[in-house]
Amino acid sequence: MIKLPGLIDIHVHFRTPGQTYKEDFFTGTSAALAGGYTTVIDMPNNKVPITSLKTLEEKIKIAKKQAVCDFGFYYGSLGENLDTFTKIQKKVFGLKIYLNQTTGGYIVDEKKFETICRKWPKKLPILLHAEDDVIGQMIEIAGRAGQRIHICHISSEKELKTIINAKLKGYKVTCGVTCHHLFLNENNVKKLGPYGLMKPSIKPEKDVNFLWRHLNDIDIVESDHAPHTIDEKNSDKPPFGVPGLETTLPLLLTAVNENKLSLARLIELCYANPKRIFKVPTDKNTYVEVDENKEYIVENKNLQTKCGWSPFAGWKVRGKVKKVIIRGEKVYESGEVLVKPGFGKYVAPAILRSE
Ligand code: NCD
Ligand code: ZN
Ligand code: ZN
């Protein structure tokens, strides 16, 4: 058995309010516990985007009733809500901006992004969905405004090279990678069909190898847990996104077992760096017990996520979450969530400091 600190996932989509048939805060946070996560930060691309104090407060209220692990939020902007930034800044971990097409379609153009950068309070980072060449342009714009940015889910050699260069030049930029971009390549996508469809797309093996070789230049592993139903995925127009909370840690532990990264580096990517970069409050009596030698097959029927499938179904992994303890209380053991909805606490960088 090994003991890990409660992991922090800075990138999840729990779809509530608006699309609770895909996921809600109970099923989403249950999936988090099953995956060894004790804090998750939820994205604003809901059916009605979280771009006002009212929608943010509504979401916080719902999550407080449903969550079984700790949770926080990002705010969203389409460039029209600049005057709300100061009102909501104590309630969130950052601002999420979409610069390429993805679920929700809440795209902002360069001009609007520049205006947003100038208005957003400097204390909190801006997270970007930006792909390919767009990354370099946005790093420039954010740099001119003196903003700190986090590039979500990098997927290719070109993207990571852009970020490595920007870091060398002194830009305040961090980046995250998902396990689907680390463990899948174009060959898997053919078999997966719509279940391998997400943004950014899965890349050729050459790119995947580059990400692994340069893992030291990546700051965070984020799940981008993006559940959609099996029916939606099988439809004529399958939506982008795959769930990831329950497979991220087992896949990474399998890689540790294969000497592809160290356990210390895993803890940095899934706990220490998320904590430091996003100022996530943590607790010393919050931890996870893992049987690092337990081998098992990922099976859809064993998942807690409401969507009930994984692009890694059928994969053999090594390393299983046995127990999760939050603030000294056992909340999960061997596949069972042991606490009631509402146990999880709402967190934000500013709130916990005053508590
Ligand atoms: C995400 C979703 O479904 O909300 N989809 C995805 O393909 N990654 C949105 C996102 O993170 O881009
Ligand atoms: Zn995205
Ligand atoms: Zn996402």
Side-chain angles (χ1 to χ4, degrees):
M1 279 298 185
I2 50 172
K3 193 171 152 182
L4 300 175
L7 303 183
I8 300 165
D9 191 352
I10 63 136
H11 188 159
V12 304
H13 302 266
F14 285 170
R15 311 295 191 206
T16 301
Q19 292 174 316
T20 50
Y21 65 94
K22 294 180 197 256
E23 195 80 287
D24 60 45
F25 280 92
F26 177 68
T27 54
T29 53
S30 296
L33 293 181
Y37 288 91
T38 54
T39 308
V40 291
I41 315 182
D42 183 65
M43 290 292 173
N45 66 328
N46 286 85
K47 185 108 196 254
V48 174
I50 308 304
T51 50
S52 68
L53 178 63
K54 185 166 170 276
T55 50
L56 177 63
E57 282 184 333
E58 264 168 32
K59 183 149 123 173
I60 294 171
K61 203 168 143 199
I62 296 167
K64 278 182 174 170
K65 289 192 196 131
Q66 298 182 346
V68 290
C69 77
D70 293 354
F71 56 93
F73 299 98
Y74 300 111
Y75 199 52
S77 180
L78 301 169
E80 264 97 56
N81 59 352
L82 309 179
D83 57 333
T84 65
F85 287 177
T86 46
K87 267 190 279 181
I88 56 81
Q89 59 171 311
K90 290 213 168 100
K91 298 181 188 287
V92 296
F93 283 96
L95 179 72
K96 175 67 181 284
I97 299 293
Y98 297 88
L99 293 138
N100 294 93
Q101 193 56 257
T102 186
T103 307
Y106 302 124
I107 299 195
V108 156
D109 64 22
E110 280 167 46
K111 269 218 178 105
K112 281 203 177 127
F113 179 58
E114 180 135 30
T115 317
I116 290 168
C117 276
R118 297 201 182 281
K119 276 280 172 153
W120 182 248
K122 296 256 163 30
K123 274 176 277 174
L124 297 168
I126 301 180
L127 296 90
L128 299 183
H129 179 124
E131 300 180 30
D132 208 43
D133 289 335
V134 182
I135 293 180
Q137 293 167 34
M138 298 310 136
I139 291 176
E140 279 293 321
I141 294 174
R144 279 205 295 277
Q147 281 291 1
R148 182 156 66 91
I149 55 172
H150 175 81
I151 310 289
C152 293
H153 47 46
I154 49 133
S155 63
S156 70
E157 171 170 350
K158 189 173 165 192
E159 291 178 350
L160 185 50
K161 273 186 174 161
T162 305
I163 291 161
I164 293 171
N165 285 330
K167 282 183 175 185
L168 285 172
K169 286 186 193 153
Y171 285 94
K172 290 183 276 184
V173 54
T174 55
C175 68
V177 69
T178 70
C179 272
H180 44 270
H181 293 115
L182 282 176
F183 289 87
L184 299 174
N185 63 45
E186 272 184 345
N187 303 326
N188 304 99
V189 170
K190 283 175 208 132
K191 274 187 230 128
L192 282 167
Y195 301 100
L197 193 70
M198 83 292 289
K199 294 282 268 153
S201 63
I202 296 298
K203 300 297 186 296
E205 209 173 354
K206 167 182 150 297
D207 288 283
V208 177
N209 291 340
F210 186 88
L211 299 182
W212 276 104
R213 274 204 313 281
H214 295 267
L215 201 59
N216 279 336
D217 296 304
I218 300 176
D219 302 279
I220 287 176
V221 170
E222 51 197 51
S223 76
D224 191 9
H225 181 80
H228 297 285
T229 66
I230 288 176
D231 281 351
E232 288 171 325
K233 281 294 197 183
N234 286 334
S235 72
D236 295 342
K237 264 194 154 190
F240 298 114
V242 299
L245 271 168
E246 291 164 88
T247 44
T248 299
L249 177 60
L251 286 166
L252 291 176
L253 286 169
T254 308
V256 169
N257 197 263
E258 291 164 358
N259 290 320
K260 288 173 86 178
L261 82 161
S262 68
L263 187 62
R265 184 70 186 128
L266 183 157
I267 295 169
E268 239 168 57
L269 290 163
C270 301
Y271 168 76
N273 287 352
K275 172 182 161 75
R276 176 178 53 81
I277 294 165
F278 292 94
K279 301 191 175 62
V280 181
T282 56
D283 167 76
K284 62 178 187 324
N285 294 315
T286 295
Y287 58 90
V288 180
E289 283 179 17
V290 169
D291 182 348
E292 77 278 27
N293 293 317
K294 173 83 184 165
E295 284 192 332
Y296 70 100
I297 309 274
V298 175
E299 285 184 82
N300 289 345
K301 69 172 171 51
N302 296 333
L303 298 173
Q304 304 276 347
T305 174
K306 202 184 269 191
C307 74
W309 63 275
S310 162
F312 297 103
W315 282 48
K316 192 184 194 180
V317 288
R318 185 175 177 139
K320 198 166 182 47
V321 173
K322 285 285 164 198
K323 237 185 244 179
V324 182
I325 313 288
I326 296 182
R327 291 179 284 278
E329 187 161 340
K330 189 162 74 180
V331 295
Y332 175 93
E333 188 169 22
S334 307
E336 300 273 343
V337 173
L338 304 172
V339 286
K340 295 217 156 51
F343 175 87
K345 265 189 154 188
Y346 164 52
V347 289
I351 314 171
L352 262 254
R353 239 178 284 135
S354 59
E355 263 180 8

